[in-house]
Amino acid sequence: MFSLESLAHNIDLGLNNIFPPTVALLSEMVIIGVGVIALFAVLGLVLVFMERKVSAYMQIRKGPNRVGYQGFAQTAADTLKLVLKEGLTPDGADKFLFNLAPFIVMIVAMLLMAPIAFTKGFQIWDINIGVLYISAISSLSVIGILMAGWASNNKYSLIGAMRSGAQIVSYELSAGLAILAMVVLTGSLQISEIVASQQNGWWIFKGHIPAVISFIIFIIAVTAETNRAPFDMAEAESELTAGFHTEYSGMRFAFFFLAEYVNIFIVCAIGATLYFGGWMPFHVGTWEAFNHVMDFIPGVVWFFGKTFGLIFLIMWFRWTFPRLRIDQLLNLEWTYLLPISMFNLLLMTIIAINGWYF
Amino acid sequence: MFIVDYIKDVYNGVTSLLKGMRLTGYYFVHPKEIITQEYPEVKQVLPERFKGEVVMRHNENNEHRCTGCTACELACPNATIKIVTKFDITPDGKKKKALDVFVYHLELCTMCNLCIVACPTDAIKMAQTFEHSVYDRTELTKVLNKPGSKLMDGVE
Amino acid sequence: MIEEVGTTTEGDLIINVGPQHPSTHGVLHLVITLNGETVKKVEPHLGYIHRSIEKMCESLSYRQFIYVTSRMDYLSSHINNQGCALVVEKGLQIEVPERGKVIRVLMAELTRIASHLLWWGAMGMDIGAFTPFFHAFREREAINDIMEETCGARLTMNYVVPGGVMADIHPNFQKKVNEFIKLLKSKIDEYYILLTGNIILQERLKGVGVISAEDAINFGCSGPVVRACGVKSDIRKIAPYDGYEKVKFDEVFETAGDSFARYMVRMNEIRQSLSIVEQLIDNIPEGEFQAKTKAVLKLPKGEFYSRVETARGEFGVYIISEGGLTPYRIKFRSPGFSNLAALHHMVKGSKIADMVATMGTLDLVIPDIDR
């Protein structure tokens, strides 16, 4: 049977047969680089289209339905428009940093792709501190945002960037603690092992209430970390026009836009991996027959299904709730989420030590 | 109790949010509730009173009812209507004031309906058209009486 | 003194909010002084869409000037027209027939509901909820369709003439309004679920943009802004016009004076207006819809004033007549102008986001402020 694992394995073997190991490694890196960029483009198109359709249906509208079949080519047309537009650099801006910022944001998003397991054995880099790596790298994107806000020489951008800085630094904490709770349960930081430990059921079901609380905190924290409504302080359309990317136009604006959607995909992929078993099919304890049926659905389908489910949840938040104020946002983190997640971590530790999970 | 209030706060907050999500979720899974009208394909039939633009009634013999009395021109708040009159020679040899050109500036019109109300002979009416966009604004200046049209018999 | 461009000597940022800005609902220009996130000063700059309507009206006859006022507060254009017609009727001692009065009141209340619905959606946008806008427009569209059928236009209806209304109601009018009452009653609870009950909205609006009753009166605020402080100010109750004394409705009050109080006053006013429409729709008296008037109206020499309650507050028309065909001088007292004047007082010391939310609950319509 065709599987992505064997495909990756065969490419690796083939390259090593033809070339010396160093060249083989380098050519693999190039293939992966191209693959990631292609994935970025596809994700950007799909997620933007999805967001527009989800928002449209929630707002009793039809959404884009003119370009292509049911409007599928709408985002491609929009991208084309953005490419053709002039990329303005404001006169008073710090030109180097202004031009650098979108690339920093994109590079961070690309780095985050590394440890994500798309299916069994199909992973760019199965690093043994995968979860820690993600926590560490994801906080770097704030540098790009701060850079963009500062270098634009625009007060709206500056306020947006500062808000974003305060927000991401705060929400890192509870996102980290929520992830830590799952690490305690799993006993490993490696993504592949975390997935393997959910062989007989996903953690959200096996881990009792603490896992559910941890999941809720995680989803709130990552919504805030990716600057999505209701936590889109950095953009805050009605207050700061467009926040940190007010001065960006053309393709550089598209990079920010794309990075936002790719970041959503990545955090949702992490959420799916930690709480819903990544590519692991839906297994229930010892029901062999049932588990066997579930195994027929390929891991990639499970992985993308779960991830897009979580992305839908985040979009659902965006199109339902009003935006918080910046002080309320920080208040929510420091007086509600952080104490709850600390208490939750304690509870989870007790459960893990005593082995009270399934 | 502090802790009870705290938990109550969290509970009430979360339920209010979930209720909102249930509502938007309901609309998401019920595409029948969509109210979008797909305009160029589906055109709404506008009610007969809709004020789209001023037109002049003409019958099948290319006759209108306008006597050129300028009541509409006087009633108009924006100088939208300009009436140019001429003198016709009636069969019995008398000079009679009659309409030459009825100029209507659609670009100035606010569709207030005052001209229609003011018209003593019911010569003009509001049309239900609404697609008025043009590339050149001079196209919005219209002559309402058709070429070669003349006054209907019996209208004074 | 300004040290650096856009900065005060204390190092505070000076930011131009507007004239093109998503939350100003038009071309309002606010120059705000910011200390970090805190607003220190708000200075509205007006004049971007000044069309000198008052001056224009001086050259228009008493029939014509009514229709220009539709372009002031375009969301309650019918009520503006009504105010202007009232002052002409007062000057000429025209008695409007009962049917005309009832039709006017019905249309005015429908306009008020439409205006409040649009405000509700736009305020949701201001505080970052995008969905309510479309949900509000669904019901507003039903009102617009009713208006279109009877008055011939959706927004600037031009339905009022001195002495009554321009045309009789459309045969479908009563049926459609009854359908609309049913529709709005079924949807009005959704508004509560979607926005009013939402914890984020309550946190955003409660205790924000507070103004005391005394200050509100001193600033000349009117309408929901002053009723949110518990001040009796509804013109429909204080000085009833066009038969408002015959319908039963409650003047809506709140006491807190903050943004949430203003929000709740408007939300409850939708229900009150709906109850007025419900009382009148099946009891439209028979008879003439328009009083017989002379072809040319000439107000006698003197000064005339009348006031109406628009969706935003008290709208007054003041005419000085020299006895000619056109008014000698005309002055409109628009509610938005005074309400905007209180903005600095309301938001001084709060956050930028609060300023936007407060502006949302003031329900500013810029052409109304800047005539």
Side-chain angles (χ1 to χ4, degrees):
Chain A
M1 200 180 113
F2 172 79
S3 77
L4 286 171
E5 188 186 13
S6 60
L7 179 77
H9 192 65
N10 289 338
I11 290 172
D12 183 40
L13 272 182
L15 282 172
N16 274 312
N17 283 339
I18 303 164
F19 300 117
T22 324
V23 180
L25 188 66
L26 279 175
S27 44
E28 274 172 23
M29 280 177 179
V30 171
I31 291 171
I32 286 167
V34 172
V36 167
I37 290 169
L39 184 66
F40 261 42
V42 172
L43 276 179
L45 295 181
V46 169
L47 287 177
V48 172
F49 182 72
M50 177 175 164
E51 171 117 278
R52 295 177 78 163
K53 275 291 184 191
V54 168
S55 70
Y57 276 78
M58 283 181 181
Q59 296 172 342
I60 48 179
R61 298 184 285 126
K62 277 213 168 101
N65 64 349
R66 295 297 162 96
V67 191
Y69 174 73
Q70 290 290 311
F72 271 115
Q74 182 68 51
T75 36
D78 288 348
T79 318
L80 189 69
K81 181 207 112 187
L82 283 172
V83 171
L84 292 174
K85 274 182 97 170
E86 182 187 2
L88 273 169
T89 310
D91 214 19
D94 186 328
K95 300 222 165 39
F96 177 67
L97 291 184
F98 184 80
N99 290 319
L100 185 65
F103 294 101
I104 299 253
V105 175
M106 280 299 277
I107 287 167
V108 169
M110 276 193 188
L111 284 174
L112 281 171
M113 278 285 180
I116 289 170
F118 291 95
T119 184
K120 190 172 167 29
F122 195 76
Q123 197 172 357
I124 295 170
W125 186 21
D126 193 10
I127 182 177
N128 61 357
I129 50 162
V131 175
L132 186 64
Y133 172 88
I134 285 165
S135 291
I137 297 290
S138 65
S139 51
L140 287 179
S141 69
V142 71
I143 293 174
I145 291 173
L146 279 173
M147 204 182 263
W150 177 258
S152 296
N153 193 24
N154 177 321
K155 289 163 195 162
Y156 285 127
S157 304
L158 186 63
I159 294 171
M162 291 302 162
R163 280 181 177 187
S164 176
Q167 176 185 342
I168 293 182
V169 168
S170 310
Y171 276 82
E172 282 282 293
L173 282 172
S174 47
L177 284 173
I179 293 176
L180 203 56
M182 299 317 291
V183 171
V184 164
L185 203 57
T186 323
S188 170
L189 289 165
Q190 198 167 358
I191 298 279
S192 58
E193 275 187 33
I194 290 174
V195 176
S197 69
Q198 305 182 56
Q199 176 73 46
N200 55 348
W202 303 342
W203 279 125
I204 194 134
F205 302 125
K206 289 200 296 175
H208 300 297
I209 294 165
V212 176
I213 295 174
S214 160
F215 171 68
I216 292 167
I217 289 168
F218 177 81
I219 204 87
I220 294 172
V222 297
T223 313
E225 247 188 273
T226 47
N227 283 327
R228 293 277 299 175
F231 308 104
D232 59 344
M233 293 300 113
E235 287 178 44
E237 188 194 313
S238 59
E239 295 148 31
L240 305 176
T241 58
F244 65 92
H245 56 57
T246 306
E247 294 287 354
Y248 284 87
S249 59
M251 207 53 212
R252 272 172 289 184
F253 165 73
F255 275 160
F256 279 115
F257 206 58
L258 187 59
E260 183 190 328
Y261 283 96
V262 174
N263 276 329
I264 296 163
F265 174 80
I266 288 162
V267 293
C268 289
I270 307 295
T273 308
L274 288 175
Y275 300 96
F276 296 94
W279 50 265
M280 192 62 79
F282 184 66
H283 283 175
V284 181
T286 51
W287 298 6
E288 290 302 332
F290 178 76
N291 292 350
H292 206 66
V293 171
M294 285 292 163
D295 282 340
F296 273 108
I297 302 170
V300 178
V301 175
W302 280 106
F303 173 77
F304 277 101
K306 289 165 189 174
T307 308
F308 274 84
L310 289 183
I311 291 171
F312 175 73
L313 192 64
I314 283 181
M315 286 179 180
W316 198 354
F317 292 154
R318 172 164 181 180
W319 298 108
T320 309
F321 301 141
R323 182 186 304 122
L324 277 89
R325 202 167 60 209
I326 181 72
D327 56 325
Q328 289 165 350
L329 180 87
L330 299 180
N331 202 32
L332 173 74
E333 162 67 15
W334 294 98
T335 61
Y336 290 89
L337 293 187
L338 193 65
I340 292 173
S341 56
M342 279 175 155
F343 177 73
N344 192 47
L345 180 62
L346 193 71
L347 207 65
M348 189 63 103
T349 318
I350 294 167
I351 286 181
I353 289 172
N354 291 311
W356 285 341
Y357 54 87
F358 299 111
Chain B
M1 262 294 268
F2 166 72
I3 196 79
V4 175
D5 285 347
Y6 183 88
I7 291 169
K8 219 179 244 172
D9 264 13
V10 173
Y11 175 78
N12 288 338
V14 169
T15 30
S16 80
L17 297 181
L18 288 181
K19 271 185 193 165
M21 281 179 73
R22 195 177 68 185
L23 187 75
T24 44
Y26 169 83
Y27 283 113
F28 182 74
V29 294
H30 286 77
K32 270 188 188 161
E33 301 267 358
I34 287 177
I35 49 163
T36 308
Q37 284 177 358
E38 291 186 78
Y39 157 60
E41 288 95 28
V42 184
K43 276 190 191 170
Q44 200 182 1
V45 181
L46 292 170
E48 70 271 29
R49 283 191 196 177
F50 182 77
K51 297 179 273 195
E53 68 175 312
V54 177
V55 291
M56 190 176 278
R57 295 166 195 266
H58 284 82
N59 67 1
E60 61 275 12
N61 301 329
N62 204 15
E63 289 172 331
H64 59 73
R65 296 172 64 87
C66 181
T67 56
C69 70
T70 69
C72 49
E73 189 177 338
L74 290 170
C76 181
N78 315 308
T80 304
I81 297 169
K82 284 275 175 299
I83 289 176
V84 183
T85 49
K86 61 179 177 187
F87 286 100
D88 272 356
I89 313 291
T90 47
D92 45 328
K94 276 184 208 160
K95 270 188 175 179
K96 196 187 165 201
K97 201 172 142 194
L99 176 74
D100 187 16
V101 191
F102 191 110
V103 183
Y104 169 58
H105 293 271
L106 179 55
E107 75 270 29
L108 298 176
C109 185
T110 59
M111 320 296 168
C112 67
N113 214 27
L114 282 180
C115 50
I116 314 289
V117 173
C119 185
T121 56
D122 211 9
I124 46 176
K125 62 162 187 171
M126 280 288 181
Q128 279 73 53
T129 50
F130 57 96
E131 289 148 320
H132 293 315
S133 46
V134 286
Y135 284 104
D136 186 357
R137 64 187 296 174
T138 54
E139 288 172 47
L140 292 172
T141 305
K142 298 178 177 181
V143 175
L144 292 191
N145 52 333
K146 287 183 188 160
S149 62
K150 60 177 195 295
L151 186 64
M152 207 180 281
D153 283 341
V155 179
E156 285 302 321
Chain C
M1 205 188 97
I2 288 168
E3 209 171 50
E4 195 188 321
V5 177
T7 320
T8 62
T9 38
E10 292 97 55
D12 297 334
L13 293 178
I14 298 172
I15 292 189
N16 291 298
V17 178
Q20 300 294 331
H21 189 275
S23 70
T24 53
H25 303 284
V27 283
L28 177 63
H29 180 191
L30 298 173
V31 180
I32 59 173
T33 309
L34 279 184
N35 182 6
E37 283 269 339
T38 314
V39 178
K40 280 178 124 180
K41 195 173 153 200
V42 181
E43 215 181 307
H45 284 193
L46 298 176
Y48 288 92
I49 50 162
H50 187 82
R51 296 149 296 170
S52 61
I53 283 185
E54 286 169 12
K55 191 73 191 164
M56 266 164 74
C57 290
E58 287 173 22
S59 63
L60 295 174
S61 76
Y62 290 107
R63 279 188 195 281
Q64 290 171 345
F65 91 99
I66 294 176
Y67 305 105
V68 181
T69 58
S70 295
R71 272 81 191 166
M72 286 164 49
D73 184 354
Y74 50 80
L75 290 183
S76 47
S77 59
H78 178 90
I79 312 179
N80 288 358
N81 293 349
Q82 197 181 0
C84 296
L86 280 174
V87 75
V88 175
E89 281 152 17
K90 205 186 232 175
L92 290 170
Q93 316 269 310
I94 301 169
E95 188 54 41
V96 181
E98 275 305 303
R99 186 175 174 86
K101 280 184 180 176
V102 168
I103 293 171
R104 274 187 188 184
V105 168
L106 271 170
M107 287 296 176
E109 292 310 313
L110 286 174
T111 311
R112 197 184 311 279
I113 295 171
S115 169
H116 281 343
L117 284 175
L118 187 124
W119 157 80
W120 182 71
M123 206 226 45
M125 295 276 260
D126 280 346
I127 58 164
F130 301 95
T131 308
F133 193 71
F134 294 91
H135 287 226
F137 261 62
R138 174 185 49 194
E139 277 78 65
R140 187 169 174 275
E141 203 66 14
I143 298 180
N144 281 350
D145 284 344
I146 293 169
M147 295 295 189
E148 193 177 28
E149 203 171 33
T150 296
C151 318
R154 303 170 72 81
L155 198 65
T156 49
M157 280 97 72
N158 300 335
Y159 190 50
V160 183
V161 291
V165 291
M166 191 178 269
D168 204 358
I169 51 170
H170 194 271
N172 285 343
F173 179 72
Q174 278 162 311
K175 196 183 84 188
K176 284 227 171 158
V177 171
N178 279 321
E179 277 168 19
F180 167 72
I181 292 170
K182 250 183 233 156
L183 174 78
L184 187 62
K185 277 194 172 164
S186 67
K187 299 293 183 192
I188 206 160
D189 294 329
E190 281 184 10
Y191 302 163
Y192 185 87
I193 296 168
L194 200 57
L195 217 49
T196 316
N198 192 303
I199 179 103
I200 300 175
L201 177 117
Q202 298 200 351
E203 289 287 316
R204 278 295 299 278
L205 294 188
K206 276 184 184 161
V208 165
V210 185
I211 190 164
S212 68
E214 200 187 357
D215 287 335
I217 292 169
N218 286 345
F219 274 108
C221 299
S222 55
V225 177
V226 74
R227 284 201 286 280
C229 312
V231 180
K232 194 167 156 55
S233 75
D234 197 329
I235 310 296
R236 293 175 294 173
K237 284 278 185 200
I238 298 172
Y241 54 93
D242 274 351
Y244 268 114
E245 67 276 3
K246 286 175 197 156
V247 288
K248 282 197 203 76
F249 70 101
D250 299 326
E251 191 175 350
V252 184
F253 292 119
E254 291 282 332
T255 46
D258 60 358
S259 291
F260 191 69
R262 291 192 281 277
Y263 177 93
M264 283 318 286
V265 167
R266 287 210 170 83
M267 292 309 275
N268 291 331
E269 269 186 17
I270 295 179
R271 287 179 199 272
Q272 290 302 331
S273 293
L274 196 63
S275 90
I276 295 176
V277 173
E278 241 182 327
Q279 285 170 43
L280 292 180
I281 187 61
D282 291 323
N283 302 315
I284 303 177
E286 294 296 321
E288 290 289 308
F289 56 85
Q290 196 180 344
K292 291 266 181 302
T293 49
K294 285 182 200 150
V296 178
L297 302 179
K298 272 186 191 174
L299 252 67
K301 200 168 159 52
E303 299 177 12
F304 306 95
Y305 183 75
S306 79
R307 49 185 185 163
V308 286
E309 180 78 15
T310 72
R312 263 148 287 278
E314 181 181 338
F315 174 76
V317 188
Y318 176 60
I319 290 182
I320 302 177
S321 170
E322 296 277 280
L325 280 171
T326 59
Y328 175 71
R329 175 76 173 91
I330 200 157
K331 166 84 181 114
F332 297 115
R333 187 252 181 244
S334 67
F337 188 83
S338 319
N339 290 352
L340 177 68
L343 182 65
H344 168 70
H345 185 79
M346 285 174 182
V347 300
K348 167 181 66 181
S350 53
K351 304 274 182 286
I352 311 176
D354 291 342
M355 188 194 79
V356 173
T358 309
M359 262 160 64
T361 52
L362 283 181
D363 194 7
L364 304 173
V365 170
I366 312 305
D368 172 45
I369 297 163
D370 197 2
R371 304 181 288 281

